[in-house]
Amino acid sequence: IDLAQLRSYALADAATAPHPRLRAVPPPEVPTGPSLPPVISLNDVLAPLERRIRQRMRGKLRCRFSLFDGLWRCRAEGGPLAACVLELVAAATAVMNADGTLIVGTRNFTFDGGNIADYPGARLGSFARITVRDSGAGLSDAEFDKIFDATATSRPAVVNAAAAMERLGGFVRVESAEGVGTAVHLYLARADDDASASEMPAAQVAE
């Protein structure tokens, strides 16, 4: 046996055979920016929740859904948003009398230079809005002032909702009157590529 020739064959085989370690190493990932949430309709998130919410109504509590047909689309993750709404609903029903009414609805809302001063905490722009409204006792002035204070709020669900909206580039507003009830509004900016509805004056969409 010619050892020199055998050695050359072995080297040739090793050069053409795939290296076992290299096969297990994945190709380097191309760095990308943070991915955006999908463009969705908030109505598509809320509609499947209606039956579940109605089933959880205790006593003579009533529930009304009011979903706006021409709702603007926005960017959001449906799962976390649905969980947020369910938490707000649970908090709302807990403070209502046995014959109270819960309303879950959607609307388009535009804040501009002509109306934004009337809505403390709002931001300029066009938004799709979710509202969870209860007919409970409402918030006292002290409770209202601390509604977003995680250490002192009487509605932790509102604090959690505000954090969720902030992550999505939205915001939360709360309206309350003692003896009337409380409404929690979730605002998400209209998607740049939304084609779900034509532009309408603020007076028509800010109901």
Side-chain angles (χ1 to χ4, degrees), residues 38-40 42 72-76 108-109 111 123-130 165 168-171 186-194:
V39 176
I40 64 171
L42 300 182
W72 292 329
R73 294 165 68 84
C74 57
R75 289 192 178 277
N108 294 330
F109 209 109
F111 295 105
R123 303 174 187 173
L124 291 171
S126 296
F127 300 86
R129 183 184 77 183
I130 296 176
M165 290 302 100
L168 291 169
F171 62 97
L186 313 181
Y187 295 89
L188 286 167
R190 182 181 183 181
D192 292 338
D193 54 352
D194 172 54

